[in-house]
Amino acid sequence: MKTKRGACFVVALAVGILLSACSVPDAGDRPVTEGRDWHWDQEAGADEASAFMDVAVPKEAAEVEGAVQVNPQEDVYFLSFVTGEKDAEDIAETLHSEEPLRAHKAEAAPKAELFGHLGLAEPQTLKGTRWAGVCPPCVNDDHRKKVQWIEIHVQTLKSDRARVYLQAF
């Protein structure tokens, strides 16, 4: 009888060890950190973001910044610059959104640092920012075949200037 119990105990112990060795922690059990699930492409900047979005940065634009966040499924492209208010509105029109730029109520900062990576405030947290977003394939935008979503935030500054924030994936 002792042999049977001993054998059952050894089998149960072995099964327990195997199950615990093969188990994977729940995604909620681990923090998402740069380098493990996503990272900033140190080689990419405004030129790469502009090219992916098919958005021409105006020649007189200042404070041009861009970045690419590399993710397991879709990379996210960020582009920001200061330009004339009219140029900012023209860029928004070229996105072919069904609705024009509209007032956007300031929200709490997102959990992840996005435009903050560029040293900028997150546009959705800024009071008086206007917003538009569009799914290019949904509006048959042949210029942005690789883009699934693009959005623009326009922050009015002084002297007919505006900061443009663009984000796309």
Side-chain angles (χ1 to χ4, degrees), residues 36-165:
R36 183 166 182 179
D37 292 305
W38 63 270
H39 67 275
W40 293 104
D41 183 339
Q42 300 302 319
E43 305 289 317
D47 291 339
E48 289 76 13
S50 174
F52 176 78
M53 296 177 191
D54 194 24
V55 170
V57 176
K59 287 185 169 107
E60 74 284 345
E63 301 176 40
V64 179
E65 300 287 344
V68 178
Q69 186 186 63
V70 178
N71 291 285
Q73 291 185 2
E74 298 174 315
D75 296 343
V76 183
Y77 294 76
F78 299 89
L79 180 64
S80 181
F81 50 88
V82 174
T83 190
E85 185 80 29
K86 176 76 171 108
D87 286 339
E89 291 173 359
D90 289 347
I91 290 167
E93 281 184 34
T94 67
L95 300 182
H96 306 293
S97 177
E98 292 179 357
E99 295 185 31
L101 283 171
R102 57 193 174 279
H104 190 265
K105 187 177 179 181
E107 301 173 2
K111 290 180 182 179
E113 178 184 81
L114 304 174
F115 283 94
H117 176 72
L118 300 175
L120 301 169
E122 301 300 332
Q124 63 272 34
T125 66
L126 302 171
K127 191 174 180 178
T129 302
R130 294 175 293 152
W131 174 90
V134 67
C135 161
C138 301
V139 294
N140 298 317
D141 184 349
D142 293 331
H143 297 289
R144 295 184 179 90
K145 291 181 181 183
K146 295 179 183 177
V147 179
Q148 296 301 307
W149 178 258
I150 187 167
E151 62 184 53
I152 184 171
H153 286 85
V154 176
Q155 176 192 20
T156 302
L157 305 173
K158 297 176 183 176
S159 304
D160 193 38
R161 304 289 287 168
R163 175 169 293 282
V164 173
Y165 296 84

Side-chain angles (χ1 to χ4, degrees), residues 6-18:
C8 288
F9 175 74
V10 170
V11 169
L13 181 62
V15 168
I17 290 171
L18 283 173

